[in-house]
Amino acid sequence: MLLAWETFRPARAAGPRWRRFGFHLSLTVLNSALYELFYGASVARTLGPAAGTWSIVAAVLYLDFCLYWLHRVNHAWPWLWRFHQVHHSDTQVDLSTAFREHPGQTLLSSLLMLLPLWWLRPSPLAYSAYTVAIATALYFQHANVALPAWVEKNLARLFVTPQGHVPHHFVSAGKSQNFGVIFNVWDKLFGTWTAASVPAPKFGVTGDTEAPLSVGTVLLRPFTSTLVPALTAMALVLGGCKWLPDDPKGVPDKISPETQAEIDYGRDLIVHTARYFGPQGTVAKTMNSRMNCQNCHLDAGTKPFGISFQTVHNRYPDYRAREGRVMSLESRINNCFERPMNGQPLPPQSREMVAILTYFRHLARGAPTGFRRKGDRLNDAVLLPKRLADVANGAKIYAAQCVRCHKPDGQGELNRAESEYIYPPLWGPESYNEASSMARIIKLAAFVKANMPLGATYDKPTLTDEEAFDVAAFINDDTQHPRPKTRWADYPDPKQRPIDERKGPYLDPFPEEQHRVGPFGPIIRYLIDNQLPAFY
């Protein structure tokens, strides 16, 4: 029924899907065989005697509650997320997405669900009701169908609907919202519920510029990045090796005094960058600004959703759509010296570059290669408003919330020696230039909502999404607040240009002003309907 519904009356324009259906159905056959082979008999032994109707209802509620937490664990634990990422890497969201599950997740999730089954010992009828309800819910919530408004409103009071599942797939895995499977009451009870505030996507629009993962990547990466290293480590330990060889992207358990000195120096370079490279710099006078890295990368780059450095060392080299090439971490660091700092790059072999890399390596200790901790993706802190940003209202918010640190003229506050900023300028000759990511409204609004005014956090923001966008539009308003011009031609591939990039060319017909202040819903809808990527 759902397949016919989304074929003839889809909620969103659908792209090519029959090849995807074949791949996803083959995964289902494989997963079903693995489940029966490894867990069928074990599940049967967890079942108890027959029970009444209310016992069946209670069993379904309890097991759905357990699935809610299992779903959250799949997002929170890196080694489980490697498998669950297969489901989220689909470039369309429709009925077949429900079948897209890595065999490793099938085995691990089934094993974890044995624990509540052993404790509950449901009756065979209760377990059958639970499995049918789960399957129906998974198919329904992923289907490309739209309910009548009155049905959606009433059904969504208790159950997960297709529209209610949109926020879980829309931004990125790090969004950590709407984990419910049958009932959405668990999300509402534990604070992980959000209503979709952007058009439902045809494709899995992400909050970054990563390309969709290939079939080979999604099937093999979890094994190569988690199970293979784990089995290798086990073999070495069993073979008598006390320690594994040092990982060049890790940090030894015991840090030598020399290494600790480099870590401390690297941290100080982040906290007091202008002291070393500004107009009064003690190492070199290569920056035309007295800003410090910490002015944007809060708490020396350790605050979640404060443009964190926590895992950056383990994510480079990496492809950067803005530059259109793969960049080393050294190049990425110099990228910041040149853009927000309006300065010159550091020599790659300089002591200062080595110290910063050592500090980054120290922060990333224990994190797998390519892994992101919660709070690394800044865009996850904000949802896109349906309206355009209000610059006039942003000016009022600035006057009420921002002037005590950034001052009425937006020029921030310098230390006593006037060698570095305590609070950075938000526009003017020493502020970030127009080629900086902060010059894009979505990036700045996400940063503002998660961190400003000082004391605000991602979990306890002071401003709403709309207020954050308004004040970001005010700060980045070129007609009032000039900032250093750029000499770079960014995003050589127009298909990878973010929807809030200040300058075109764009793949859509919307004016430059709408790309600067929104609303972004029509832009996203146009790109998706024309099978074009929508990035931010």
Side-chain angles (χ1 to χ4, degrees):
M1 181 189 71
L2 289 171
L3 180 60
W5 189 353
E6 71 172 17
T7 299
F8 298 106
R9 292 292 299 275
R12 308 174 295 276
R17 57 182 184 145
W18 295 112
R19 183 176 180 182
R20 293 172 51 258
F21 267 50
F23 172 59
H24 294 168
L25 288 173
S26 66
L27 281 178
T28 298
V29 173
L30 174 60
N31 289 334
S32 299
L34 290 173
Y35 179 87
E36 293 299 335
L37 179 64
F38 290 99
Y39 294 107
S42 299
V43 168
R45 293 191 181 97
T46 66
L47 303 182
T53 302
W54 287 111
S55 297
I56 295 174
V57 173
V60 172
L61 282 169
Y62 169 72
L63 292 172
D64 185 60
F65 172 75
C66 294
L67 268 185
Y68 163 82
W69 283 105
L70 177 60
H71 194 179
R72 289 190 65 171
V73 167
N74 273 314
H75 280 252
W77 291 3
W79 58 281
L80 284 178
W81 168 245
R82 296 282 183 173
F83 295 100
H84 189 55
Q85 188 182 21
V86 173
H87 178 69
H88 279 267
S89 66
D90 194 8
T91 55
Q92 288 193 70
V93 179
D94 58 22
L95 176 63
S96 79
T97 307
F99 298 107
R100 186 183 178 98
E101 182 176 290
H102 196 286
Q105 181 181 341
T106 298
L107 297 176
L108 291 170
S109 297
S110 300
L111 178 63
L112 292 172
M113 279 301 292
L114 284 177
L115 300 176
L117 285 171
W118 274 108
W119 181 85
L120 182 66
R121 297 190 65 79
S123 68
L125 185 57
Y127 183 75
S128 297
Y130 153 74
T131 54
V132 171
I134 289 296
T136 302
L138 288 173
Y139 303 153
F140 177 60
Q141 67 188 229
H142 288 97
N144 181 13
V145 298
L147 301 173
W150 66 273
V151 176
E152 173 73 33
K153 179 180 178 181
N154 289 284
L155 196 63
R157 297 180 190 275
L158 182 62
F159 298 99
V160 178
T161 63
Q163 182 64 18
H165 195 62
V166 163
H168 188 70
H169 279 267
F170 187 78
V171 180
S172 67
K175 186 61 191 174
S176 301
Q177 297 287 330
N178 297 18
F179 295 101
V181 181
I182 300 176
F183 304 102
N184 58 28
V185 293
W186 316 124
D187 286 297
K188 295 175 181 178
L189 183 62
F190 295 105
T192 55
W193 169 257
T194 186
S197 64
V198 287
K202 177 182 68 178
F203 297 114
V205 181
T206 60
D208 51 45
T209 55
E210 293 178 0
L213 300 179
S214 66
V215 171
T217 299
V218 297
L219 287 179
L220 297 178
R221 177 191 283 181
F223 291 112
T224 58
S225 60
T226 54
L227 294 186
V228 171
L231 292 174
T232 303
M234 185 181 299
L236 289 170
V237 171
L238 292 177
C241 299
K242 185 176 181 181
W243 302 109
L244 298 177
D246 182 31
D247 180 358
K249 286 197 172 183
V251 175
D253 292 333
K254 294 182 179 180
I255 301 175
S256 68
E258 294 79 12
T259 301
Q260 187 62 57
E262 287 300 295
I263 292 171
D264 294 341
Y265 184 40
R267 185 184 187 281
D268 205 48
L269 287 165
I270 298 299
V271 176
H272 301 291
T273 317
R275 179 184 300 175
Y276 297 97
F277 300 105
Q280 303 176 35
T282 58
V283 173
K285 298 176 176 60
T286 54
M287 282 171 34
N288 297 320
S289 171
R290 287 170 286 182
M291 290 198 299
N292 300 312
C293 295
Q294 182 173 249
N295 292 144
C296 292
H297 303 275
L298 303 181
D299 296 343
T302 63
K303 184 182 180 184
F305 299 98
I307 317 185
S308 169
F309 290 142
Q310 291 279 8
T311 59
V312 69
H313 188 273
N314 289 4
R315 291 188 278 109
Y316 277 84
D318 193 18
Y319 175 77
R320 292 273 298 171
R322 187 172 69 180
E323 289 75 19
R325 61 187 177 90
V326 174
M327 297 182 71
S328 66
L329 185 52
E330 294 88 338
S331 297
R332 183 68 185 93
I333 291 169
N334 278 331
N335 188 281
C336 282
F337 271 95
E338 293 178 289
R339 291 171 183 258
M341 301 299 197
N342 301 305
Q344 300 299 317
L346 300 181
Q349 302 302 322
S350 65
R351 186 203 167 188
E352 286 67 34
M353 177 64 80
V354 172
I356 293 174
L357 291 172
T358 304
Y359 175 60
F360 286 176
R361 179 187 179 194
H362 175 71
L363 292 180
R365 65 191 185 282
T369 299
F371 171 69
R372 290 179 182 266
R373 292 190 177 104
K374 181 178 180 179
D376 284 350
R377 297 179 187 269
L378 181 58
N379 288 346
D380 294 342
V382 68
L383 293 175
L384 306 185
K386 294 181 180 179
R387 62 171 175 82
L388 60 81
D390 187 337
V391 175
N393 187 50
K396 296 177 182 177
I397 297 169
Y398 183 88
Q401 301 285 357
C402 311
V403 294
R404 62 180 177 267
C405 293
H406 299 286
K407 308 308 175 187
D409 62 358
Q411 297 311 294
E413 181 179 335
L414 287 162
N415 64 353
R416 288 186 178 182
E418 297 189 349
S419 60
E420 57 183 311
Y421 280 100
I422 301 172
Y423 304 114
L426 300 182
W427 57 81
E430 290 194 77
S431 183
Y432 54 86
N433 65 34
E434 63 181 9
S436 170
S437 295
M438 282 294 198
R440 291 164 39 206
I441 188 172
I442 298 177
K443 183 73 71 176
L444 180 57
F447 178 81
V448 167
K449 186 192 173 189
N451 301 286
M452 298 292 148
L454 287 177
T457 64
Y458 165 75
D459 297 319
K460 295 181 180 179
T462 300
L463 303 180
T464 65
D465 294 315
E466 290 78 8
E467 290 171 336
F469 269 83
D470 290 347
V471 75
F474 170 74
I475 292 170
N476 283 338
D477 183 7
D478 291 341
T479 63
Q480 302 183 63
H481 306 139
R483 62 184 67 256
K485 300 297 182 181
T486 178
R487 64 178 185 273
W488 290 279
D490 292 330
Y491 298 100
D493 183 355
K495 289 186 177 180
Q496 297 177 332
R497 189 180 302 275
I499 59 174
D500 61 334
E501 175 64 11
R502 296 161 58 88
K503 296 182 179 179
Y506 306 111
L507 298 177
D508 56 73
F510 298 96
E512 188 175 272
E513 184 66 14
Q514 185 164 346
H515 284 271
R516 293 190 180 204
V517 297
F520 295 103
I523 298 175
I524 294 174
R525 188 179 297 112
Y526 175 89
L527 293 172
I528 288 172
D529 288 345
N530 287 276
Q531 299 186 26
L532 296 169
F535 294 124
Y536 61 88

